[in-house]
Amino acid sequence: MKFTSSLLTLFLFLCGSVASAQDGYIRAYEGTFALTNARIETITNGTIENGSLVIRDGVIEEVGATVAIPGDAEVIDCSGMTIYPGMIDGGTRLGLQEIGSLPETVDHGEIGDIRPHMQALTAVNPNSVSIPITRVSGVTTVLTSPSGGIMPGTAALINLHGYTPDQMDAGFKGVVLNFPSSARFGRFDRRTDEDIEKQFNEALERLNETWEQAVLFERIDANGGSDLYQPEMAALVPVIRREAPLLIEAHAAKDIEKALEWIEEKSIDAVLTGVREGWRVADKIAAAGVRVITGPVLTTPSRDYDRYDAAYRNAGWMHDAGVTVAIRSGEVENVRNLPFNAGFAAAYGMGREAALEAVTIVPARIFGVDERLGSIEVGKDATLFVADGDPFETKTQVVDLFIGGYRIPIESRHISLYDEFLNRNPGLER
Amino acid sequence: MRLTLLALLLLAGSAAAQTAVDLPPAETRGDLLIRGATVLTVTNGTHENTDILVRDGKIEALGQGLSAPGGVRVVDGTGFHVMPGIIDAHSHIALSNVNEAQNTITSEVQMGDVTDPTDVGIYRALAGGVTTIHTLHGSANAVGGESETLKLRYGTFDPNALHFEGAPRTLKFALGENPTRVHGRGRDIRPRSRMGVEQLYREAFSEARRYRDAQNEAEENGTLAPPYSRRMETLADILDGEVLIHCHSYRADEIVMLMNVLRDFGVDRITFQHVNEGFKVAPELADFGAGASVFSDWWAYKFEVYYSTAYNVAILLRNGVRASINSDSGELIRHLYHEAAKSQRYGDLTDDEALSLITINPAWQLGIDDQVGSIEEGKDADLAIFDGHPLSVYARPVMTIVDGVVRFDEARDGDDMRLDVDPEEAIEDVRLYDHDEESCLVDAFVL
């Protein structure tokens, strides 16, 4: 209450006319901003201990130790605060699910095994209550992915501000492949070893059949195409032409190895996702030069005989082996835990610098959006946040937030419930 | 020659690593001196450069310049933080079953009968600084079974050796979506609504009261005693104040409902579990004197937790409710210190307040706060040692001590700490857990 109301006061003081306080609603606004006296962790060009950053037309216009403050800028004093680029979560279902147990509110799983043309972006609910709850933690951009089957659809990178899916589009889309799995999922998976092997082989056969068809389709397409409407095949053409990476979900060590062989055989550009047992085959992943988006870090080891901290250390072990590693939360309503996933990876061997890169510039590069996101550099999108400390540290507060140059209120349902109920009125008496 | 040397080195290496069967027997009560640590007592401030002397499993002395009798292991605590062993008021690890879901009232069953002391989840919890857990019956039934309070004396095959001596009996209740789904919608019997849940409690308590009255009458006047019913015995024991209720609950209205029922039947000890909307009725909970054991940030996995907030625990605490943070998960239990720290992001609690959520407060909720939950002379030597402040995301637990016995030691433990190894087990049983939420319904649908 103390924190949020003082922030609100500061906010109203700084931009009185823009905030429509009379109806209790504050909306995002754009403008020219100068963030002054800040510590700035640029990620790609070191840390500026006391500097300023100017935002204009949605991008970072200036950043440095000595920056001329434009006369028309709204000045925000960031003394004692640090500016970071918005964190990027390399794997979520944010916006595609509102309430886990209610199928009416779950839109990430379509019927059918092969449906790469299903577009996650289409089903992103820009008004999901989880979105403001996520972005006030400093996570500004997420990959949101479809689920189920062998090829569940096309994932989309979205910025967490906007009123239509198109406004949220952050410039990357990728077809997802759930590589055939030899692992069991959760405590309710009671399949026998024989069932698992059979299903693995069937899925691999189906995948390879699909791939042959897609290769044929691409050849027909390159030679003038056909009149047949085959959207699931068309969706795979950019992957076959190496114009876009295939996002391949694989976890068990031997599945990862098979996936690496498959990637080489098909000669495609691929990113491995999930990769819970990546540490067991880290050298092979590194040798193949395949990039990885791993997570969640906060999960149990995949085998009972593994060391208790194997999952915490997975990202660090892969990083040490020379793998390019981004970190994801794998979450929906708690994507806000991305910085804590990264924090645990940092504490368990990865180190803070690599972990910070794993949620900023590394995923930006993997998704090919590093010209716009992932670090504090002139010309990049003004998608960044201001915090009173290390964003991985649990007690740190994010005090200011910009996405694409829009200043976003530090507001969410969780915060407004706090404001309402900390001192409920009436209290005990009627 | 070089090969032999290598073999010797390997042998030495493997001999140094401790395995689960090397751990001391469960009945061991250890002696230990921790020297020069930062001691977070939780109830009595933080003391720098302080020693803790442990004798026979109890904290004998706390102070500076303490010395240990010869032969007592000395742990150099310089640069380390020591906090009370973490207590999880809601867990389903170390259980071979969770729900007896064939009746809406199953107060006759006991989780103590299905304790699995070999669950590697116990070791993983120890590796997160946890020393005591409350293993509950599931939430399929409005009245579930008796729960069990355990000390994590990992290393034994005897389920009874984990029992927390002197812990009061506790029983699981459950409100809302789970009991109405399993029985009402799943089996077409009451309760299917929150109205039905209320009347189920009123009928059950009324029957239990008649049962106990008839027993008393038989004893005093020699009338015929009612046929023995384990189910009724336990419910009557609740009315007599001998069993503490721990109630799975979410919505504000159902929380108030149960407090009203309990008032009508003269029951005054209850801890609400999960209680995501507890913050909405915090004044009522405080007025009743109820405990609240909550998630740090879980929400939106079902409708009854949609209107919840991560600031729940802060609102509860600031309104005078004795609150704790629990795991309900074999994953979260490994980092409850981090879950507690979230109360500083979501509500600005002090370090001691945040630590109380996983130590003295759950101890109070389980009725064991006179034995554990803080670092005080005379209390059990259940301690967790970290290489930084436990509320920092960068801090790692390095040693966990139960009854003065080191049961997790980052430096000495081997990788494979399974106790019960099945020689026929497939070597590559890979099992992935995603967001291990609400283990409460395990077994509920295996009908």
Side-chain angles (χ1 to χ4, degrees):
Chain A
M1 179 69 180
K2 208 171 60 194
F3 163 68
T4 45
S5 66
S6 64
L7 187 75
L8 188 69
T9 315
L10 180 73
F11 191 82
L12 291 171
F13 170 71
L14 289 169
C15 51
S17 66
V18 195
S20 52
Q22 61 272 34
D23 59 3
Y25 172 71
I26 303 164
R27 64 183 174 274
Y29 66 100
E30 57 189 327
T32 302
F33 304 96
L35 281 56
T36 60
N37 305 314
R39 189 171 165 275
I40 304 169
E41 288 205 29
T42 68
I43 307 297
T44 44
N45 287 309
T47 298
I48 300 163
E49 284 307 325
N50 190 357
S52 298
L53 184 153
V54 177
I55 297 169
R56 190 193 294 278
D57 298 330
V59 300
I60 298 167
E61 187 182 60
E62 293 257 29
V63 62
T66 49
V67 168
I69 306 303
D72 61 339
E74 182 185 330
V75 177
I76 300 167
D77 181 10
C78 296
S79 298
M81 301 291 162
T82 304
I83 301 174
Y84 296 90
M87 287 182 277
I88 302 171
D89 193 324
T92 76
R93 306 204 195 288
L94 189 56
L96 302 176
Q97 170 179 310
E98 199 63 17
I99 298 174
S101 74
L102 298 183
E104 298 86 344
T105 72
V106 178
D107 285 302
H108 46 75
E110 193 41 80
I111 292 167
D113 278 338
I114 307 289
R115 43 186 156 82
H117 56 309
M118 296 297 148
Q119 297 296 321
L121 187 64
T122 302
V124 167
N125 173 9
N127 303 300
S128 169
V129 170
S130 296
I131 288 175
I133 285 166
T134 302
R135 68 191 177 202
V136 297
S137 68
V139 180
T140 57
T141 308
V142 307
L143 186 78
T144 193
S145 296
S147 72
I150 298 170
M151 286 188 183
T154 300
L157 191 70
I158 54 171
N159 287 317
L160 299 184
H161 176 60
Y163 294 96
T164 68
D166 290 338
Q167 284 183 349
M168 300 173 76
D169 187 352
F172 170 81
K173 291 194 182 75
V175 172
V176 174
L177 165 62
N178 288 322
F179 200 79
S181 172
S182 63
R184 291 182 175 84
F185 289 89
R187 71 175 79 236
F188 297 107
D189 188 343
R190 295 185 165 90
R191 290 177 297 162
T192 63
D193 289 351
E194 291 72 28
D195 287 343
I196 286 173
E197 196 183 341
K198 188 164 166 262
Q199 288 169 17
F200 182 96
N201 291 333
E202 282 170 2
L204 191 58
E205 201 175 320
R206 185 81 203 280
L207 168 61
N208 285 329
E209 275 170 21
T210 302
W211 202 259
E212 280 172 32
Q213 288 167 10
V215 168
L216 181 62
F217 182 90
E218 189 278 333
R219 248 182 266 152
I220 294 169
D221 188 72
N223 289 289
S226 81
D227 294 335
L228 287 176
Y229 179 64
Q230 288 185 300
E232 69 276 26
M233 292 290 111
L236 294 173
V237 168
V239 177
I240 292 167
R241 290 182 183 157
R242 298 182 59 95
E243 292 163 4
L246 184 63
L247 305 171
I248 303 180
E249 183 87 358
H251 292 287
K254 69 177 181 187
D255 300 345
I256 296 168
E257 288 181 304
K258 282 241 170 66
L260 290 174
E261 287 168 21
W262 193 87
I263 291 164
E264 198 184 346
E265 188 184 305
K266 306 303 177 200
S267 179
I268 54 167
D269 181 23
V271 176
L272 282 174
T273 64
V275 206
R276 304 265 189 102
E277 293 199 340
W279 60 277
R280 291 188 196 280
V281 289
D283 290 342
K284 288 180 179 161
I285 302 172
V290 174
R291 296 155 299 167
V292 159
I293 300 169
T294 191
V297 175
L298 293 169
T299 189
T300 43
S302 47
R303 305 183 194 192
D304 280 354
Y305 54 83
D306 282 343
R307 193 171 175 81
Y308 69 96
D309 58 4
Y312 298 158
R313 291 191 179 276
N314 185 31
W317 277 331
M318 284 193 283
H319 179 260
D320 286 349
V323 180
T324 299
V325 179
I327 289 173
R328 70 177 191 186
S329 70
E331 270 283 354
V332 188
E333 67 270 18
N334 276 335
V335 172
R336 59 183 167 183
N337 286 336
L338 176 70
F340 305 144
N341 277 268
F344 266 71
Y348 284 88
M350 194 178 201
R352 182 179 178 276
E353 191 183 338
L356 193 54
E357 288 175 359
V359 293
T360 53
I361 192 65
V362 172
R365 285 179 187 140
I366 288 174
F367 298 133
V369 294
D370 54 314
E371 292 293 309
R372 298 178 57 186
L373 297 169
S375 65
I376 303 284
E377 291 178 63
V378 170
K380 284 199 177 186
D381 289 0
T383 297
L384 51 90
F385 66 95
V386 184
D388 68 356
D390 180 346
F392 295 168
E393 199 51 279
T394 322
K395 67 182 173 191
T396 294
Q397 302 287 327
V398 170
V399 298
D400 224 324
L401 173 66
F402 294 84
I403 298 178
Y406 283 83
R407 191 179 193 198
I408 311 287
I410 305 294
E411 235 343 307
S412 74
R413 188 199 272 167
H414 284 208
I415 293 170
S416 59
L417 285 171
Y418 181 51
D419 291 342
E420 179 179 358
F421 284 98
L422 183 60
N423 295 296
R424 199 189 73 184
N425 191 19
L428 202 55
E429 293 78 27
R430 276 174 214 268
Chain B
M1 181 61 193
R2 278 176 60 193
L3 262 180
T4 338
L5 195 64
L6 187 67
L8 276 171
L9 281 170
L10 280 172
L11 202 66
S14 63
Q18 178 162 259
T19 67
V21 289
D22 300 332
L23 290 163
E27 61 273 17
T28 312
R29 301 292 176 266
D31 302 308
L32 206 60
L33 176 65
I34 301 168
R35 222 177 236 157
T38 300
V39 178
L40 306 156
T41 68
V42 178
T43 48
N44 191 28
T46 296
H47 306 297
E48 304 289 340
N49 192 21
T50 294
D51 308 338
I52 303 173
L53 179 63
V54 173
R55 297 298 304 273
D56 199 24
K58 303 274 182 196
I59 298 167
E60 186 171 276
L62 191 64
Q64 286 179 331
L66 300 182
S67 59
V72 169
R73 180 174 173 187
V74 178
V75 174
D76 182 6
T78 314
F80 292 88
H81 285 68
V82 186
M83 68 173 284
I86 293 168
I87 298 169
D88 187 0
H90 195 127
S91 176
H92 300 289
I93 66 166
L95 292 174
S96 53
N97 292 100
V98 176
N99 275 288
E100 170 51 61
Q102 291 293 328
N103 203 296
T104 56
I105 302 175
T106 57
S107 43
E108 66 274 22
V109 306
Q110 297 176 304
M111 304 319 284
D113 292 336
V114 290
T115 299
D116 174 11
T118 67
D119 183 358
V120 74
I122 298 173
Y123 175 75
R124 291 174 179 168
L126 279 165
V130 179
T131 54
T132 294
I133 64 172
H134 186 217
T135 56
L136 295 94
H137 188 270
S139 55
N141 318 330
V143 177
E146 264 189 64
S147 304
E148 181 82 358
T149 303
L150 301 176
K151 280 236 192 178
L152 301 188
R153 300 179 182 119
Y154 191 61
T156 180
F157 286 83
D158 175 9
N160 296 325
L162 268 54
H163 180 72
F164 193 119
E165 303 84 355
R169 293 162 63 199
T170 61
L171 186 91
K172 178 77 170 276
F173 276 15
L175 311 177
E177 289 184 20
N178 288 6
T180 56
R181 170 152 54 125
V182 173
H183 296 286
R185 274 160 284 153
R187 302 169 67 213
D188 207 24
I189 54 173
R190 255 174 57 196
R192 195 188 309 214
S193 69
R194 287 179 171 82
M195 298 186 292
V197 174
E198 179 192 6
Q199 296 310 318
L200 183 145
Y201 287 123
R202 292 189 180 278
E203 287 161 18
F205 278 140
S206 298
E207 192 184 342
R209 183 178 276 168
R210 285 197 302 276
Y211 177 85
R212 184 56 42 92
D213 286 350
Q215 280 181 327
N216 293 339
E217 173 82 6
E219 198 163 315
E220 283 169 32
N221 303 327
T223 52
L224 194 63
Y228 177 83
S229 163
R230 175 79 224 180
R231 183 178 293 180
M232 283 300 125
E233 285 289 334
T234 306
L235 282 170
D237 289 346
I238 293 174
L239 296 175
D240 288 345
E242 289 171 24
V243 181
L244 310 179
I245 302 168
H246 281 257
C247 184
H248 167 109
S249 57
Y250 289 108
R251 244 170 52 182
D253 50 83
E254 65 191 17
I255 295 162
V256 171
M257 175 278 286
L258 188 60
M259 288 193 291
N260 287 338
V261 170
L262 295 183
R263 272 200 190 90
D264 289 348
F265 286 88
V267 178
D268 58 6
R269 278 298 298 270
I270 182 166
T271 294
F272 286 94
Q273 292 281 341
H274 309 320
V275 61
N276 276 48
E277 289 197 5
F279 70 95
K280 293 182 178 172
V281 288
E284 284 78 8
L285 285 164
D287 182 51
F288 190 91
S293 184
V294 311
F295 293 123
S296 60
D297 61 4
W298 281 9
W299 72 290
Y301 47 92
K302 47 161 57 175
F303 186 70
E304 60 189 347
V305 293
Y306 190 50
Y307 294 91
S308 50
T309 172
Y311 294 80
N312 192 19
V313 79
I315 299 172
L316 288 163
L317 214 68
R318 292 279 178 256
N319 277 272
V321 180
R322 201 82 183 253
S324 68
I325 282 180
N326 67 56
S327 78
D328 192 12
S329 151
E331 196 284 304
L332 280 188
I333 196 171
R334 306 172 314 144
H335 46 81
L336 277 167
Y337 51 96
H338 169 59
E339 302 307 308
K342 288 177 182 172
S343 67
Q344 301 192 308
R345 174 164 290 206
Y346 310 120
D348 206 20
L349 297 193
T350 65
D351 287 357
D352 277 346
E353 284 173 330
L355 291 172
S356 75
L357 301 171
I358 51 170
T359 54
I360 194 68
N361 287 5
W364 176 82
Q365 292 171 348
L366 298 175
I368 51 175
D369 51 320
D370 56 336
Q371 298 173 73
V372 292
S374 61
I375 298 181
E376 293 178 57
E377 287 172 7
K379 280 199 167 183
D380 293 0
D382 293 0
L383 305 164
I385 307 181
F386 289 75
D387 67 358
H389 194 289
L391 296 173
S392 165
V393 79
Y394 299 112
R396 296 181 301 135
V398 294
M399 192 181 279
T400 305
I401 294 156
V402 184
D403 302 319
V405 176
V406 178
R407 297 214 173 264
F408 160 68
D409 187 338
E410 188 203 31
R412 285 167 72 172
D413 293 352
D415 291 351
D416 181 359
M417 290 298 283
R418 287 174 302 166
L419 190 56
D420 187 17
V421 181
D422 176 1
E424 289 183 13
E425 185 181 277
I427 196 74
E428 286 196 3
D429 182 23
V430 182
R431 194 173 284 269
L432 309 169
Y433 288 93
D434 258 323
H435 201 83
D436 186 24
E437 66 202 12
E438 216 188 52
S439 334
C440 272
L441 281 181
V442 176
D443 301 333
F445 298 104
V446 187
L447 301 177

